[in-house]
Amino acid sequence: MALPTKNSVPDALGAALGTDRVRAAAETDSVGGAAPSWVATVDGTEQVSAAMRVAAEHELRVVATGSGSKLDWGAPPREVDLLVDLSAADGIVEHAAGDLVVHAKAGTSLRRVQEQVAQSGQQLSIEHPLPNATLGGIVATGAAGPSRHLHGTVRDLLIGITVVRPDGVVTRAGGKVVKNVAGYDLGKLYSGSYGTLGVITETIFRLHPLAAERRWISVDADEPAMLDAVLRAFKRTQAMPTAVELDRTLDGRTTVCAQLEGRADATHERALTLSELVGGETGTNVDVHDDPPAWWGHYPHGTGDDIGLRLTVRPASIPGVISRASEAAQRSGVKLSLRGAAGVGVLDGGIPAGTDPDAVAELVSALRTVTAAPGENTVIVRAPRAVTATVDPWGPVPSGVLTLLKNTKAQFDPEHRLAPGRFVGGI
């Protein structure tokens, strides 16, 4: 029996999925500069399984995509043969409003889920900045928004997941019960794995009640001492902000904003009380707003060739980190803006497109020195290939951790065919 060849891939995919779901890849399908040969459009778990069996038979390297909003995140894959497009895997399988749970296919947009569950007065507590982001991509990249302050990140909200292995076998973990404790919680392992362990096809999330009212309290805190005082005040308060975000612009202006939410007849009063408390402790004016600031919930970097960074730091270190990061940016001649979750210590950095890659590399190296404490790091979220060729997007990883990651990859994808090179340490 003749072994399959690459020439037989289109026919094999067409037989498995239907010829109308397979096409030759175009230049616009490239992933970080790596050009696939074919694109297979799939509408659910069974078709992903069929596509992955063909990929296994032909030893194809595979990258999965949904809306493509974060396809340029992480390191560029070394090579790609097949792009598995899950944008047609779109739909809410079940919304169990009484159990505060939603089950949806991976290609479903977050916006569609929010619209559906809002009809029952509920929300999926992920405020993703990219409106067309799909659930599979959000899980694969571990993305999160301001609500992580109270409700946690994607891995905390994900209670069930369906994933197709590189050999086409369908696996499921978790379920529709919030307190399901049977088996390993593999959803947490797949969260933030950048598609290197399996192709996510379905997700189950826990929901929260939709707030009847929200208020935002903003404070200007340009100087490190003021920033430290404001963050301490928000941390000590018993008003329980659901998010504490900050925005530092290119000209050094820094704003801290806290979000309160709750009952319609009580939230505004809580906000006024908190504003008086913070104003008294910091000696400055504190404003209460009916709407969030324009920058709320948005990344400081855009699409195209903008460069995105992420700094994970201890919340108590934020004033010092911002000060030292700004000094490093000035020395490197790089325009750096910062924005993110001050309450939990996750800051996104934005650098304009066209910045010299060597200058970006110098800045990233300096930032990794600033964020060198245990549990801290600086990574490049997205950047043109000229930058990722100059500096490792993920940075150094302790040898023990890297060994664990490589062993995990070897268990889930022994042939290293899923998004090879996209994750930490070239995994």
Side-chain angles (χ1 to χ4, degrees):
M1 178 177 178
L3 295 175
T5 66
K6 294 292 177 69
N7 292 334
S8 63
V9 170
D11 289 341
L13 287 172
L17 305 174
T19 55
D20 59 331
R21 292 190 173 274
V22 183
R23 63 175 174 84
E27 185 176 349
T28 53
D29 295 312
S30 68
V31 183
S37 298
W38 306 279
V39 178
T41 302
V42 294
D43 65 3
T45 301
E46 290 186 6
Q47 288 202 338
V48 172
S49 175
M52 296 304 291
R53 286 197 297 272
V54 172
E57 291 169 359
H58 293 79
E59 300 180 348
L60 303 182
R61 287 147 299 195
V62 178
V63 169
T65 182
S67 67
S69 63
K70 295 180 290 300
L71 199 55
D72 57 355
W73 283 29
R78 286 188 293 274
E79 292 179 287
V80 185
D81 299 308
L82 176 64
L83 189 65
V84 176
D85 178 4
L86 286 97
S87 58
D90 177 17
I92 295 175
V93 179
E94 180 183 9
H95 173 208
D99 296 328
L100 287 165
V101 167
V102 65
H103 177 187
K105 294 184 178 180
T108 311
S109 71
L110 177 61
R111 175 183 293 169
R112 179 177 177 183
V113 172
Q114 298 290 30
E115 290 174 351
Q116 172 77 31
V117 302
Q119 296 176 21
S120 300
Q122 298 174 357
Q123 62 177 337
L124 176 53
S125 299
I126 303 170
E127 297 158 316
H128 198 283
L130 304 175
N132 60 338
T134 58
L135 298 182
I138 290 172
V139 174
T141 57
S147 290
R148 81 186 98 189
H149 181 86
L150 181 66
H151 299 302
T153 60
V154 169
R155 67 197 305 270
D156 300 307
L157 300 170
L158 184 70
I159 60 172
I161 191 168
T162 301
V163 177
V164 178
R165 295 189 336 198
D167 58 2
V169 172
V170 177
T171 64
R172 293 180 173 84
K176 295 187 295 184
V177 181
V178 173
K179 293 186 177 180
N180 189 339
V181 295
Y184 294 107
D185 192 355
L186 293 180
K188 287 182 168 54
L189 184 64
Y190 288 117
S191 299
S193 64
Y194 280 71
T196 57
L197 300 179
V199 179
I200 300 167
T201 60
E202 296 179 29
T203 57
I204 303 174
F205 287 98
R206 64 183 302 182
L207 303 171
H208 290 92
L210 192 62
E213 187 175 74
R214 287 177 174 171
R215 290 291 185 271
W216 289 266
I217 301 165
S218 293
V219 190
D220 294 331
D222 297 342
E223 300 301 323
M226 173 60 80
L227 179 57
D228 183 61
V230 171
L231 292 178
R232 287 178 181 275
F234 280 138
K235 182 179 180 180
R236 285 198 300 268
T237 178
Q238 297 183 2
M240 290 189 64
T242 52
V244 178
E245 299 273 306
L246 72 76
D247 177 56
R248 185 173 177 86
T249 60
L250 291 176
D251 60 4
R253 289 180 298 169
T254 304
T255 303
V256 182
C257 184
Q259 173 183 271
L260 295 181
E261 58 182 47
R263 299 204 320 262
D265 57 349
T267 305
H268 187 74
E269 291 303 318
R270 287 169 53 214
L272 289 175
T273 300
L274 179 57
S275 68
E276 292 173 359
L277 172 67
V278 176
E281 292 191 9
T282 60
T284 187
N285 292 325
V286 181
D287 301 319
V288 176
H289 304 276
D290 293 342
D291 298 300
W295 52 264
W296 183 269
H298 295 278
Y299 294 125
H301 53 82
T303 55
D305 286 339
D306 274 10
I307 300 163
L309 310 179
R310 179 158 299 158
L311 287 68
T312 302
V313 303
R314 293 168 296 168
S317 302
I318 283 181
V321 167
I322 288 181
S323 180
R324 294 172 64 190
S326 298
E327 293 170 0
Q330 192 170 19
R331 287 195 302 272
S332 303
V334 175
K335 296 179 179 178
L336 173 67
S337 54
L338 294 168
R339 183 180 299 161
V344 296
V346 180
L347 300 177
D348 286 298
I351 298 173
T355 302
D356 178 19
D358 290 332
V360 175
E362 179 183 335
L363 173 61
V364 170
S365 177
L367 294 177
R368 284 174 176 160
T369 301
V370 172
T371 57
E376 297 185 339
N377 61 60
T378 296
V379 301
I380 298 175
V381 175
R382 65 186 304 276
R385 196 153 190 142
V387 173
T388 57
T390 306
V391 57
D392 180 359
W394 296 102
V397 181
S399 59
V401 175
L402 185 58
T403 299
L404 177 61
L405 293 173
K406 287 184 175 179
N407 289 341
T408 302
K409 172 72 171 179
Q411 288 291 320
F412 283 74
D413 180 21
E415 297 176 333
H416 291 237
R417 292 189 296 101
L418 291 179
R422 198 177 179 194
F423 197 48
V424 177
I427 291 174

